[in-house]
Amino acid sequence: MRNFSFSLFNMIFGFSIILLVVLILIPFNLINLEQAQRIAKWKAEYEKLKYSFELVNLHEGSIIPSISEEKEIISEEYIWKRILPYFKFSDEKLKKLKKYKYRKMNGLPVENGYKHYFENFIETKSGMLFSIKQNHVEITDEKIPLYFAFVDINGKQKPNRIGQDIFLMEIYKHDVNAFGKGKNYAKLKADCSPIGRGVYCSEYYLLGGSF
């Protein structure tokens, strides 16, 4: 009887340990699955956006004309009108979303005036949020982006974090790249981590990096 009781206790104890481990691992697996789905969606959206910008280049001569080519002042409104016909959006107006807030991957807020702060958005038919803003620095050569683009692939839904569901692009006169393009892999991985900003995740995931 003692041996039977001892064996039964061992079985119950062992089963409890296994159950505890499973309960701990399930949330992490679900998080990883959700992030894998977001990464896959980003890759698909990136290819679509890249293709749309290529169409702009093909038909317009360049994504962003120089002031010598165009008499009107280049502005966010102007560039938006220039590329708008090549995108399929449900709403053609950039609008402020007062309740929409997002953060860096490490949890720090993205404040107004910061390089990666966007405040005007268009919501696509799929629910994605998209935005464009000027790079307010002196443009000394073609290696400096003229505009930045913002993509929240699941829109207003959480987590609303750069590098998780928010990805960034750099717009040049004749090209568009994900943030982090040209950076070494170690730097991309370090930034795309729980203690990083997450801005280089845009390129890191395209190269096959994992969450």
Side-chain angles (χ1 to χ4, degrees):
M1 176 67 78
R2 287 181 179 178
N3 289 338
F4 176 76
S5 299
F6 183 74
S7 297
L8 182 62
F9 173 79
N10 283 350
M11 289 177 61
I12 294 173
F13 180 76
F15 179 76
S16 299
I17 294 297
I18 293 172
L19 181 61
L20 180 62
V21 170
V22 170
L23 290 175
I24 291 174
L25 290 178
I26 283 177
F28 287 105
N29 288 334
L30 288 176
I31 291 171
N32 287 336
L33 177 60
E34 289 176 355
Q35 186 59 25
Q37 292 172 340
R38 288 192 285 261
I39 292 172
K41 189 173 181 181
W42 159 239
K43 289 180 177 180
E45 292 295 343
Y46 175 78
E47 291 302 321
K48 292 178 185 177
L49 290 168
K50 185 87 171 175
Y51 177 69
S52 296
F53 280 116
E54 287 174 357
L55 287 179
V56 177
N57 260 331
L58 180 65
H59 294 283
E60 302 290 334
S62 69
I63 298 172
I64 303 166
S66 65
I67 295 179
S68 63
E69 293 170 328
E70 295 289 343
K71 293 181 179 180
E72 56 187 305
I73 298 174
I74 309 303
S75 63
E76 290 176 20
E77 291 76 17
Y78 172 79
I79 193 63
W80 188 246
K81 290 178 181 178
R82 186 177 176 85
I83 70 170
L84 188 60
Y86 301 92
F87 295 83
K88 296 179 180 179
F89 296 121
S90 57
D91 187 343
E92 296 186 357
K93 293 181 179 179
L94 282 165
K95 57 186 178 182
K96 289 188 178 182
L97 302 176
K98 294 182 179 179
K99 295 183 179 181
Y100 176 74
K101 304 292 181 183
Y102 63 96
R103 293 177 174 269
K104 302 174 189 176
M105 179 172 272
N106 55 23
L108 294 176
V110 180
E111 299 176 347
N112 193 352
Y114 186 59
K115 181 178 179 180
H116 309 115
Y117 178 84
F118 293 77
E119 59 181 351
N120 298 312
F121 304 91
I122 271 187
E123 189 168 5
T124 70
K125 293 179 180 179
S126 63
M128 180 179 77
L129 292 179
F130 185 79
S131 184
I132 284 180
K133 65 177 285 188
Q134 283 180 282
N135 184 8
H136 295 290
V137 299
E138 184 181 359
I139 308 298
T140 56
D141 58 60
E142 293 185 357
K143 294 181 180 180
I144 300 175
L146 287 88
Y147 289 81
F148 300 125
F150 171 105
V151 181
D152 188 331
I153 49 100
N154 61 355
K156 301 171 187 175
Q157 297 180 33
K158 292 183 178 180
N160 295 333
R161 297 247 177 147
I162 296 175
Q164 291 189 32
D165 57 342
I166 295 172
F167 303 95
L168 304 167
M169 302 171 72
E170 296 174 317
I171 304 175
Y172 301 84
K173 183 174 175 61
H174 295 287
D175 198 12
V176 175
N177 292 316
F179 253 68
K181 178 76 172 181
K183 304 293 183 183
N184 68 65
Y185 193 80
K187 192 167 186 177
L188 296 177
K189 186 175 182 179
D191 185 71
C192 191
S193 69
I195 61 172
R197 300 170 302 166
V199 295
Y200 291 160
C201 290
S202 305
E203 176 68 10
Y204 178 67
Y205 293 144
L206 295 178
L207 295 179
S210 58
F211 176 68

